[in-house]
Amino acid sequence: MTIRPDQLNDPAVRAFVKALNSGDRDAFLAVLTPDATMSDDGSDRDLVEWTDKEIFSSRGQMEVESQSADGRDLVARYRNETWGEMRTKWKFTVEGEKIARFDTGQA
């Protein structure tokens, strides 16, 4: 079962997933705080470099399978042209209406 992006509980996470899936780099960056950070499989990464490689240049797509009650923890099938498809977990830290940090990795 897949949860449509417009059904995600947290507005910032909803905007993040919609921007990611549409390949809209400007909308994606707009939902992040200016000093946003992220990690992949427990290692901090350069957010701009990582998103360019893992999302935008490789046509990343996220199909959400489940979300926490507050909508800030997701399990999703993530795929891109580099790695194919894998089951991933995403944890978001939201400040105001923007994402200050996200942590992702294999589920």
Side-chain angles (χ1 to χ4, degrees):
M1 179 107 181
T2 300
I3 300 170
R4 291 191 328 262
D6 62 353
Q7 294 176 309
L8 295 173
N9 294 335
D10 186 275
V13 173
R14 184 181 320 128
F16 177 100
V17 174
K18 285 181 175 182
L20 185 156
N21 284 344
S22 67
D24 188 337
R25 183 187 318 252
D26 291 338
F28 182 88
L29 294 174
V31 77
L32 303 174
T33 62
D35 59 347
T37 59
M38 60 89 50
S39 72
D40 182 8
D41 282 329
S43 298
D44 279 7
R45 307 293 175 115
D46 179 280
L47 188 144
V48 172
E49 183 181 297
W50 187 91
T51 55
D52 281 346
K53 180 181 175 194
E54 301 293 339
I55 298 172
F56 298 109
S57 68
S58 60
R59 294 191 179 94
Q61 291 288 297
M62 180 188 298
E63 290 183 29
V64 178
E65 294 179 345
S66 64
Q67 66 178 322
S68 59
D70 66 2
R72 295 183 180 177
D73 294 287
L74 307 178
V75 174
R77 287 187 313 276
Y78 185 79
R79 68 180 173 278
N80 65 27
E81 292 177 348
T82 304
W83 305 109
E85 184 173 303
M86 64 190 78
R87 196 160 185 260
T88 56
K89 59 185 180 218
W90 299 74
K91 180 174 183 61
F92 296 90
T93 303
V94 177
E95 292 177 1
E97 297 179 2
K98 301 217 178 224
I99 293 170
R101 180 173 179 86
F102 66 93
D103 301 283
T104 186
Q106 293 197 46

